[in-house]
């Protein structure tokens, strides 16, 4: 009897060791399963990948003639079959789903996805169109005690340095940086801070850039040429100034930021430099005697005269031929597993590396300027308001000022910790 007991105990121990090893070392899975809701059968393909601390679930859902795809980056401890249920709504040519993700401490629930004809929409896009059917679906879900941040249209404004801000709308560990003509204002969910270091207002913020966690800008109080850089640590809220051995003309432009360095071409002095705010150092990377450098997904040499005569801004080009053929002239930005593109009439779509041909209309705004993607979150300026959009909280205002109507070039950026 004892021998049987110890044998069973050993088997249990081996089973738990196996489970521990799988949990520790297996960082991906690809499974299929079916979820039933009434007379609807939802075929789900779930692909999970973990890269370091980043978790990513990609879902492909088929029901009848409808097809939906989306990502979820919640840390769900590598669990499988993490969609527990799919609520749905059907009326005429509109079919909507609300996938209910396994509830854990770090779960983020995706928003409603809909198909109308051949087009796919988010709840945000249909709400902008005053679609009463999708609003009725939200009300039904709320009656069933579901909650989603994108359905919350209540904003909590505060006043900070001539701006109306909505800090509760900002995502955790996100820092909104707004140029205030003499430095920057930093806003996150809990805190606000203002750095005003210049003596005179500088409306055209031509040379400032976020480099890692450092906001870097020249001493605009100097005339014609400058020898000093201000370095603001966005996270620690510290300010430093460092001087260069050689002056840089304001007749210069920023090429871009790569690997923690800002690259700048000085037309007047015929040179290109790389500024490292972390090390407080500057190095020359191009001159009349030596070619400069250019980055477009890979490094290549460029004549200093090419850099002087043209604004050669670093780029990592992305093309989506199928989308360009369908939607015409589009502007594309890359996320992690996602692509985002904007049409000429201000429609913003999301599509996926797994299937770039299937696009989802996220929202529309004809007045978008300065749009950027930070950690799969879209930020943009429209008229007097800076907005934030992501797949879990929808479209939210985060800052508002009449000044944004007149001085909008490089007026804001966002750092994600």
């Amino acid at each position: 009897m004892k021998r049987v007991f110890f044998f069973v105990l050993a088997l249990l121990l081996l089973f738990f060791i196996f489970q521990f090893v799988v949990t520790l070392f297996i960082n991906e899975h690809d499974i299929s399963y079916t979820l039933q809701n009434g007379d609807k059968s939802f075929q789900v393909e779930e692909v999970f990948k973990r890269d370091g601390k980043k978790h990513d679930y990609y879902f492909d859902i088929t029901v009848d003639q409808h097809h939906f795809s989306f990502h979820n980056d919640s840390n769900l401890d590598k669990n499988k079959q993490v969609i527990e249920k799919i609520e749905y709504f059907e009326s005429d040519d509109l079919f909507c789903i609300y996938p209910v993700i396994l509830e854990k401490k770090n779960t983020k629930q995706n928003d409603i996805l809909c198909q109308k004809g051949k087009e796919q929409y988010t709840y945000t896009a249909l709400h902008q169109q005053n679609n009463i059917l999708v609003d009725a679906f939200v009300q039904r879900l709320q009656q069933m005690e579901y909650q989603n941040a994108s359905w919350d249209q209540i904003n909590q404004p505060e006043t900070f340095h001539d701006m109306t801000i909505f800090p509760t709308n900002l995502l955790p560990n996100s820092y909104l940086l707004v140029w205030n003509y003499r430095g920057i204002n930093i806003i996150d969910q809990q805190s606000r801070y203002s750095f005003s270091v210049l003596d005179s207002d500088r409306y055209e913020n031509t040379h400032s850039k976020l480099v890692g966690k450092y906001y870097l800008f020249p001493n605009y109080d100097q005339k014609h040429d400058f020898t000093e850089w201000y370095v603001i640590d966005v996270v620690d809220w510290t300010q430093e100034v460092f001087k260069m051995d050689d002056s840089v003309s304001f007749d210069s432009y920023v090429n871009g930021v790569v690997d923690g360095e800002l690259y700048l071409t000085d037309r007047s002095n015929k040179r290109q430099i790389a500024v490292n705010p972390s090390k407080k150092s500057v190095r020359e990377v191009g001159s009349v005697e030596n070619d400069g450098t250019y980055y477009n997904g890979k490094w290549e040499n460029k004549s200093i005269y090419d850099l002087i005569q043209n604004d050669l801004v670093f780029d990592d080009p992305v093309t989506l031929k199928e989308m360009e053929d369908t939607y015409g002239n589009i502007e594309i930005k890359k996320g992690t597993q996602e692509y985002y593109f904007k049409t000429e009439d201000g429609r913003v779509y999301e599509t996926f590396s797994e299937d770039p041909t299937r696009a989802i209309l996220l929202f529309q705004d004809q007045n978008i300027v300065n749009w950027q993607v930070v950690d799969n979150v879209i930020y943009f300026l429209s008229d007097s308001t800076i907005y934030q959009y992501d797949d879990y909280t929808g479209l939210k205002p985060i800052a508002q000022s009449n000044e944004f109507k007149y001085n909008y070039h490089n007026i804001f950026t966002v750092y994600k910790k």
Side-chain angles (χ1 to χ4, degrees):
M1 192 69 180
K2 282 186 177 180
R3 186 176 297 176
V4 173
F5 173 77
F6 285 114
F7 178 72
V8 172
L9 190 62
L11 284 178
L12 286 172
L13 184 60
L14 286 172
F15 173 77
F16 286 119
I17 291 173
F18 174 76
Q19 289 292 96
F20 174 77
V21 170
V22 168
T23 303
L24 188 63
F25 295 106
I26 302 301
N27 289 315
E28 58 183 62
H29 66 248
D30 185 343
I31 61 171
S32 298
Y33 50 98
T34 300
L35 293 172
Q36 195 76 25
N37 188 345
D39 62 348
K40 296 294 183 185
S41 292
F42 297 86
Q43 308 301 318
V44 181
E45 182 181 355
E46 174 182 304
V47 180
F48 169 76
K49 292 181 181 179
R50 178 185 173 185
D51 183 7
K53 293 183 178 180
K54 292 188 176 182
H55 296 242
D56 180 78
Y57 286 87
Y58 173 71
F59 302 100
D60 199 76
I61 298 175
T62 304
V63 52
D64 299 336
Q65 74 274 24
H66 308 293
H67 200 148
F68 301 94
S69 301
F70 61 96
H71 280 266
N72 188 295
D73 61 5
S74 300
N75 181 353
L76 303 176
D77 298 326
K78 306 181 188 179
N79 274 281
K80 298 179 179 179
Q81 290 192 224
V82 297
I83 297 182
E84 295 187 318
K85 188 176 183 180
I86 298 177
E87 304 290 353
Y88 74 94
F89 174 85
E90 186 174 21
S91 176
D92 297 328
D93 63 341
L94 182 68
F95 191 95
C96 300
I97 64 168
Y98 182 64
V100 181
I101 309 294
L102 172 69
E103 192 63 49
K104 294 182 76 68
K105 180 181 179 182
N106 300 306
T107 300
K108 294 186 283 188
Q109 294 289 348
N110 290 79
D111 200 1
I112 293 168
L113 292 174
C114 297
Q115 188 171 333
K116 186 178 180 183
K118 294 183 179 180
E119 290 280 332
Q120 291 195 53
Y121 301 82
T122 62
Y123 162 73
T124 297
L126 291 175
H127 183 74
Q128 283 186 320
Q129 298 173 12
N130 298 313
N131 188 298
I132 60 173
L133 295 177
V134 75
D135 287 335
F137 184 36
V138 167
Q139 291 176 9
R140 195 184 92 192
L141 291 171
Q142 289 173 326
Q143 289 170 0
M144 298 167 69
E145 299 187 348
Y146 290 114
Q147 296 180 347
N148 192 291
S150 72
W151 308 337
D152 181 9
Q153 304 299 321
I154 300 173
N155 303 304
Q156 299 177 18
E158 298 179 15
T159 300
F160 178 68
H161 278 258
D162 299 324
M163 290 188 297
T164 300
I165 61 172
F166 306 90
T168 57
N169 288 344
L170 275 166
L171 297 173
N173 300 315
S174 297
Y175 299 78
L176 173 65
L177 316 178
V178 180
W179 181 249
N180 64 22
Y181 302 149
R182 298 196 179 193
I184 58 167
N185 297 327
I186 305 175
I187 303 151
D188 66 10
Q189 282 186 337
Q190 288 80 33
S191 309
R192 306 91 180 84
Y193 199 86
S194 181
F195 288 92
S196 296
V197 298
L198 300 175
D199 294 329
S200 303
D201 288 348
R202 172 76 178 198
Y203 295 102
E204 296 181 357
N205 186 26
T206 51
H207 292 71
S208 303
K209 277 289 182 182
L210 182 65
V211 185
K213 68 169 184 170
Y214 301 101
Y215 192 81
L216 180 68
F217 61 97
N219 184 348
Y220 286 123
D221 287 328
Q222 295 179 303
K223 307 299 181 184
H224 308 299
D225 302 279
F226 63 93
T227 58
E228 296 176 338
W229 290 95
Y230 288 103
V231 181
I232 309 293
D233 187 316
V234 173
V235 178
D236 295 335
W237 292 357
T238 59
Q239 167 193 326
E240 294 186 67
V241 181
F242 79 90
K243 294 186 177 182
M244 299 180 291
D245 294 333
D246 300 308
S247 63
V248 173
S249 170
F250 278 111
D251 182 19
S252 57
Y253 70 96
V254 173
N255 301 114
V257 176
V258 181
D259 294 334
E261 291 186 302
L262 179 146
Y263 289 78
L264 180 145
T265 295
D266 184 344
R267 290 190 175 94
S268 295
N269 295 302
K270 296 183 176 63
R271 59 196 292 257
Q272 185 185 32
I273 61 172
V275 185
N276 189 317
S278 175
K279 297 179 180 179
K280 314 297 184 296
S281 65
V282 178
R283 60 190 180 95
E284 185 176 90
V285 295
S287 65
V288 174
E289 293 78 17
N290 299 295
D291 283 344
T293 191
Y294 178 73
Y295 185 81
N296 63 349
K298 61 181 180 180
W299 290 103
E300 61 180 77
N301 292 335
K302 285 286 183 182
S303 162
I304 193 67
Y305 295 103
D306 285 342
L307 291 161
I308 290 171
Q309 293 166 9
N310 307 283
D311 283 0
L312 297 182
V313 177
F314 293 170
D315 191 17
D316 193 353
V318 180
T319 58
L320 293 172
K321 189 176 186 310
E322 299 91 342
M323 296 295 99
E324 291 168 349
D325 291 343
T326 303
Y327 296 95
N329 186 28
I330 59 176
E331 186 179 350
I332 308 167
K333 297 188 185 295
K334 181 76 168 68
T336 49
Q337 307 295 326
E338 297 84 355
Y339 298 97
Y340 303 90
F341 64 90
K342 180 175 73 69
T343 63
E344 291 183 321
D345 62 354
R347 287 174 293 153
V348 178
Y349 290 84
E350 178 181 16
T351 188
F352 310 104
S353 58
E354 291 84 355
D355 187 355
T357 64
R358 187 174 293 117
I360 305 167
L361 179 62
L362 303 179
F363 59 88
Q364 183 171 4
D365 191 316
Q366 294 183 339
N367 301 311
I368 293 175
V369 293
N370 290 5
W371 77 294
Q372 54 191 271
V373 175
V374 181
D375 199 28
N376 291 339
V377 181
I378 302 172
Y379 299 90
F380 66 92
L381 175 60
S382 174
D383 194 42
S384 62
T385 304
I386 300 170
Y387 290 93
Q388 165 193 282
Y389 177 88
D390 84 334
D391 292 331
Y392 313 103
T393 60
L395 186 65
K396 305 289 186 186
I398 53 176
Q400 195 172 56
S401 171
N402 282 330
E403 288 293 317
F404 296 159
K405 295 179 181 180
Y406 313 109
N407 300 295
Y408 52 82
H409 175 74
N410 202 24
I411 196 70
F412 84 95
T413 191
V414 174
Y415 173 71
K416 177 66 182 294
K417 186 175 178 181

